[in-house]
Amino acid sequence: MGSHSAGLEETLGVLPSLLFCKMLRFFKRPLVVTADINLNLVALTGLGLLTRLWQLCYPRAVVFDEVYYGQYISFYMKRMFFLDDSGPPFGHMLLALGGYLGGFDGNFLWNRIGAEYSSNVPVWSLRLLPALAGALSVPMSYQIVLELHFSHCTAMGAALLMLIENSLITQSRLMLLESLLIFFNLLAVLSYLKFFNSQKHSPFSPHWWLWLMLTGVSCSCAIGIKYMGIFTYLLVLSIAAVHAWNLIGDQTLSNICVFGHVIARAVALLVIPAFLYLLFFYVHLMLLYRSGPHDQIMSSAFQASLEGGLARITQGQPLEVAFGSQVTLRNVFGKPLPCWLHSHKNTYPMIYENGRGSSHQQQVTCYPFKDINNWWIIKDPGRHQLVVNNPPRPVRHGDIIQLVHGMTTRLLNTHDVAAPLSPHSQEVSCYIDYNISMPAQNLWKLDIVNRESSQDTWKTILSEVRFVHVNTSAVLKLSGAHLPDWGFRQLEVVGEKSRGPHESMAWNVEEHRYGTSQEQKERELELHSPTQVDISKNLSFMARFSEVQWKMLTLKNEDSEHKYSSTPLEWVTLDTNIAYWLHPRTSAQIHLLGNIVIWVSASLATVAYTLLFFWYLLRRRRSICDLPEDAWSHWVLAGALGTGGWALNYLPFFLMERTLFLYHYLPALTFQILLLPIVLQHVSDHLCRSQLQRNVFSALVVAWYSSACHVSNMLRPLTYGDTSLSPGELQALRWKDSWDILIRKY
């Protein structure tokens, strides 16, 4: 025992000296870190940054759609709610992030293209993220072609075409969304290819999970920028579904393993994009908590959840509507205009212009402005009092009520008389007793549309209700027609006997107070006074999200014909352009104009690929395999991404009824550009039979690429707008009669 302890002590004594010697040897040698750097990627990234960031602040003026997106950036800076039906908010938030990082306070009037930016507008920061996205799309194209198992030369060709394409340069140097959309489209494709290629060697590894998750994130970001992003999402989803189907048929994998693969793809490509899509709206609504310019098109409940605006008016309102309550009633449908149930002392004319007669009763309309004549009192038909009891007696679903107009004390009425503009519906009026054989019919049954039970109480803002006429079963409805001058161009309200539910039949209480004055003069003063009780009516996130999403999908702006609008057929042949900006004093100008050599070549490559694909497919059906299996699978996948990406991002525009512009074609063009050098390599490797043919073909490709570079350089003044050209030089650049090159007449 003693010898063992002595040996241990000796060992412990020697150990520090050994460690010291090793440390000395370590410090005598240099510390070396080995890194594998692809210089092609570095060079392409540098060139991309140079072409996109060069003189990014020029012009220091509003360029085309910057006038559109700039307004939304200002709203973000001021936390004011807005609604844009062109797409989800992620792209707007990225642009706003640039403004935030640049210290923008939102104070600029975005009212005119060409307006000079004031000193408080950080132009470089606002344009930075789109420019970075455009620059990084160049090396990403290189990596995509490599992941498709084509040569470095082919990958460089795709990246260089992306680099010199004039339309992509122009679009990425401005405060616009297309370059961001293209970046996430390409990132989704690249991530999926990296995931797919790692599938063979290291499934379920950290590297495998990283690229799979990044695919779902990228797809969600693309959709979050513009709804056009869903086309690329469908492309990736379709290819992933085919690969998953093949995986299910792989007999070498166990059932548990196959199940894990399917679940992993479902989570990454379905669950994560849905979660992120909701997250974009959550952040959007969290940032925009103040009342803004688009409040009126939202529901009363949504408006009341915003700081200021309606929330300032309705703060302190009682929640439950009671007999004796004083209310304003807003139509839920809100089309063609948001409006409130309204009446005034004027009556319907005895005889309409078409010769039909009316009841000559007091007019009832829907008025699109706040007004004292919008106030109504909820009355119990069995009592004469127009005040709220203590305690209040709430109105419930199914109760019979009367609606008393606050300022004239006449009761809402309908009868078997044709409405002025809707003869198949009943006229709605406030009843005047003319001592003739036309009795009052002023009883209404309350129908709470969004009730949870038959005992639900009528709630301010939250309840959507219908008023069903007791005598005729007609429902109070906004017809949407504008009355003639005798009705002050207000909107017609009718009694509709059709029982089919419609939003135009639903109303909600917007402003509400408990009435305390029985005398009319005191009541009129009361109608002008503010409310007292404080009850919060904040909507849940899902309720706000659902309403915003529904409005975005259903709201249709009246698209007027734009000078630079175009059709999808004009995009492929580049028969159109867009004049983005013109210098106020010189002929310097910026145009969205593509490199015609690249556009025509890309279209021809798409046609060539399609013909070759079906030719090979037909021959394989006859058991003639022109390509080895590996080359065939690479060829099919490249075509699925290139041709499929182009078709999915282009063909749907033929079905769209909206104003279209040339920049809508750019995402489809990027997929064609990726396919173009792949087709050229295929021709060289598989269709050129001899070395001489390959050498001649390579020389032709070099000459073709040189011509593309020459065209790109010729169009450079219209891409950057930093050179003033003479009228003759501008006319020389007008290669097509349909191109609108702006020539000043001196």
Side-chain angles (χ1 to χ4, degrees):
M1 187 72 179
S3 63
H4 283 298
S5 61
L8 180 62
E9 289 176 2
E10 184 178 349
T11 303
L12 291 174
V14 173
L15 186 60
S17 61
L18 290 174
L19 289 173
F20 180 73
C21 292
K22 287 186 177 181
M23 288 178 66
L24 275 178
R25 285 198 297 269
F26 175 78
F27 283 115
K28 285 180 180 179
R29 296 177 181 178
L31 184 64
V32 178
V33 176
T34 304
D36 186 12
I37 299 175
N38 188 331
L39 294 180
N40 286 349
L41 272 180
V42 174
L44 289 171
T45 303
L47 290 172
L49 291 171
L50 179 65
T51 55
R52 270 62 177 180
L53 296 179
W54 176 263
Q55 293 186 340
L56 191 60
C57 287
Y58 181 85
R60 194 175 173 83
V62 180
V63 180
F64 202 63
D65 275 352
E66 287 187 340
V67 72
Y68 174 72
Y69 294 112
Q71 296 178 47
Y72 300 138
I73 294 173
S74 288
F75 290 148
Y76 275 114
M77 297 300 105
K78 297 178 179 180
R79 302 294 189 264
M80 295 170 62
F81 174 76
F82 69 88
L83 184 69
D84 179 21
D85 63 336
S86 67
F90 182 58
H92 300 83
M93 289 192 290
L94 288 178
L95 295 180
L97 176 62
Y100 174 77
L101 296 176
F104 184 40
D105 57 8
N107 291 320
F108 182 77
L109 186 60
W110 308 87
N111 63 346
R112 181 173 60 86
I113 296 174
E116 293 289 328
Y117 284 123
S118 55
S119 59
N120 69 307
V121 181
V123 181
W124 192 85
S125 295
L126 288 169
R127 293 175 178 168
L128 177 61
L129 288 180
L132 289 177
L136 294 177
S137 296
V138 175
M140 216 169 345
S141 303
Y142 172 84
Q143 288 184 292
I144 287 173
V145 176
L146 282 185
E147 292 296 327
L148 287 169
H149 302 286
F150 290 89
S151 69
H152 283 272
C153 183
T154 301
M156 283 294 290
L160 292 174
L161 290 175
M162 292 283 290
L163 178 72
I164 66 172
E165 170 49 44
N166 298 79
S167 60
L168 296 179
I169 297 174
T170 300
Q171 202 70 10
S172 62
R173 287 173 46 81
L174 301 171
M175 195 196 316
L176 305 173
L177 294 180
E178 276 67 32
S179 64
L180 293 167
L181 172 63
I182 290 169
F183 170 81
F184 284 110
N185 281 348
L186 295 179
L187 183 58
V189 171
L190 175 62
S191 300
Y192 181 78
L193 289 175
K194 284 186 172 291
F195 155 75
F196 177 69
N197 290 331
S198 65
Q199 169 71 35
K200 301 175 184 177
H201 310 293
S202 53
F204 300 107
S205 65
H207 181 265
W208 184 90
W209 278 108
L210 170 66
W211 292 116
L212 177 59
M213 293 299 176
L214 189 56
T215 303
V217 170
S218 303
C219 289
S220 184
C221 290
I223 299 171
I225 289 170
K226 278 194 168 186
Y227 283 127
M228 290 166 56
I230 201 170
F231 301 143
T232 301
Y233 177 54
L234 291 175
L235 172 71
V236 173
L237 210 59
S238 300
I239 294 174
V242 171
H243 289 163
W245 183 254
N246 294 335
L247 202 67
I248 292 172
D250 189 348
Q251 298 297 318
T252 63
L253 299 177
S254 66
N255 292 340
I256 297 297
C257 184
V258 170
F259 181 75
H261 277 290
V262 173
I263 291 298
R265 286 161 172 77
V267 170
L269 301 181
L270 296 175
V271 177
I272 286 181
F275 171 77
L276 287 178
Y277 187 76
L278 289 173
L279 181 63
F280 296 151
F281 278 91
Y282 180 82
V283 176
H284 172 73
L285 293 172
M286 182 181 66
L287 291 174
L288 306 182
Y289 59 86
R290 291 177 180 155
S291 174
H294 299 159
D295 291 8
Q296 289 293 323
I297 60 178
M298 307 305 291
S299 70
S300 300
F302 192 98
Q303 292 182 55
S305 69
L306 299 172
E307 181 183 297
L310 181 63
R312 185 168 48 200
I313 297 172
T314 59
Q315 184 176 6
Q317 293 185 151
L319 178 61
E320 292 186 338
V321 178
F323 289 105
S325 286
Q326 300 167 356
V327 300
T328 62
L329 295 165
R330 186 181 192 264
N331 188 265
V332 171
F333 190 48
K335 292 183 180 180
L337 293 168
C339 61
W340 292 262
L341 190 65
H342 175 93
S343 186
H344 40 243
K345 292 182 179 180
N346 300 72
T347 60
Y348 291 109
M350 289 287 291
I351 303 294
Y352 296 128
E353 294 176 355
N354 59 9
R356 290 192 296 110
S358 78
S359 65
H360 199 49
Q361 297 282 332
Q362 182 173 302
Q363 295 176 18
V364 172
T365 65
C366 206
Y367 190 48
F369 300 99
K370 303 282 187 182
D371 189 83
I372 192 63
N373 281 314
N374 296 348
W375 283 91
W376 299 81
I377 302 169
I378 310 302
K379 180 180 177 297
D380 183 349
R383 301 188 181 187
H384 293 291
Q385 66 183 36
L386 298 177
V387 296
V388 176
N389 292 338
N390 190 13
R393 189 158 59 93
V395 183
R396 300 183 182 277
H397 170 72
D399 283 353
I400 305 299
I401 64 170
Q402 291 175 312
L403 289 167
V404 182
H405 187 239
M407 296 302 290
T408 63
T409 68
R410 292 189 174 124
L411 280 73
L412 188 71
N413 183 83
T414 187
H415 39 217
D416 193 16
V417 175
L421 302 180
S422 306
H424 298 292
S425 302
Q426 291 182 182
E427 175 194 89
V428 175
S429 62
C430 278
Y431 183 74
I432 303 174
D433 188 0
Y434 289 120
N435 292 319
I436 58 176
S437 57
M438 185 180 287
Q441 299 182 33
N442 49 37
L443 297 179
W444 300 86
K445 181 179 178 181
L446 185 75
D447 176 24
I448 302 178
V449 179
N450 58 344
R451 64 186 180 275
E452 294 181 358
S453 72
S454 59
Q455 296 299 312
D456 265 14
T457 57
W458 185 5
K459 294 181 177 64
T460 305
I461 291 179
L462 303 178
S463 295
E464 296 180 4
V465 303
R466 298 194 312 161
F467 299 102
V468 183
H469 192 237
V470 173
N471 298 76
T472 64
S473 298
V475 180
L476 191 69
K477 177 185 175 181
L478 169 67
S479 76
H482 285 271
L483 294 169
D485 291 341
W486 54 258
F488 308 101
R489 309 298 299 174
Q490 295 173 17
L491 299 173
E492 181 190 42
V493 174
V494 300
E496 178 65 65
K497 287 189 176 181
S498 171
R499 299 308 300 269
H502 193 273
E503 284 183 320
S504 59
M505 297 179 177
W507 306 78
N508 69 270
V509 171
E510 189 168 90
E511 297 178 65
H512 175 211
R513 64 169 56 84
Y514 283 162
T516 59
S517 303
Q518 184 68 24
E519 296 298 324
Q520 176 63 13
K521 288 187 177 181
E522 295 177 359
R523 192 184 307 117
E524 290 181 11
L525 293 173
E526 188 178 20
L527 290 173
H528 288 89
S529 64
T531 52
Q532 302 298 326
V533 186
D534 188 13
I535 296 178
S536 175
K537 303 176 187 65
N538 289 330
L539 286 178
S540 67
F541 161 69
M542 287 306 299
R544 299 174 73 203
F545 163 74
S546 299
E547 181 171 346
V548 169
Q549 184 67 86
W550 178 250
K551 291 289 185 182
M552 289 173 63
L553 295 176
T554 58
L555 184 66
K556 290 185 178 180
N557 291 328
E558 294 184 3
D559 289 333
S560 56
E561 192 68 22
H562 193 282
K563 178 181 179 181
Y564 292 108
S565 62
S566 52
T567 64
L569 286 176
E570 294 175 299
W571 302 342
V572 178
T573 53
L574 199 59
D575 284 335
T576 182
N577 71 308
I578 304 176
Y580 269 2
W581 173 80
L582 175 66
H583 194 283
R585 292 175 297 278
T586 71
S587 63
Q589 51 196 280
I590 295 177
H591 286 256
L592 181 67
L593 190 60
N595 186 318
I596 195 166
V597 173
I598 296 177
W599 286 53
V600 172
S601 302
S603 297
L604 291 175
T606 305
V607 173
Y609 176 88
T610 305
L611 294 175
L612 283 171
F613 173 77
F614 283 110
W615 171 252
Y616 290 146
L617 199 64
L618 184 64
R619 286 172 62 82
R620 289 175 74 87
R621 188 64 178 166
R622 299 291 300 168
S623 299
I624 304 173
C625 296
D626 300 285
L627 301 176
E629 283 304 315
D630 282 349
W632 171 249
S633 62
H634 297 157
W635 175 249
V636 170
L637 182 57
L641 286 171
T643 307
W646 170 80
L648 282 172
N649 281 276
Y650 173 59
L651 298 179
F653 286 104
F654 285 94
L655 306 176
M656 295 184 186
E657 296 180 358
R658 54 172 294 184
T659 304
L660 299 174
F661 296 93
L662 181 62
Y663 55 71
H664 286 122
Y665 186 63
L666 297 184
L669 176 68
T670 57
F671 284 99
Q672 281 190 314
I673 290 176
L674 292 176
L675 184 66
L676 173 54
I678 290 174
V679 172
L680 294 178
Q681 180 185 338
H682 180 81
V683 172
S684 176
D685 292 349
H686 299 284
L687 300 185
C688 293
R689 300 299 182 184
S690 65
Q691 187 61 44
L692 176 62
Q693 289 178 343
R694 291 191 184 94
N695 292 338
V696 171
F697 183 75
S698 298
L700 291 175
V701 169
V702 171
W704 163 81
Y705 186 77
S706 300
S707 66
C709 291
H710 178 65
V711 170
S712 179
N713 187 59
M714 289 184 67
L715 294 177
R716 185 194 174 283
L718 301 181
T719 300
Y720 290 89
D722 56 354
T723 305
S724 180
L725 301 179
S726 67
E729 290 172 322
L730 290 171
Q731 188 63 44
L733 290 177
R734 192 182 179 189
W735 298 338
K736 289 194 172 189
D737 293 337
S738 56
W739 289 3
D740 186 17
I741 308 295
L742 305 176
I743 301 176
R744 290 184 182 274
K745 295 181 179 180
Y746 296 98

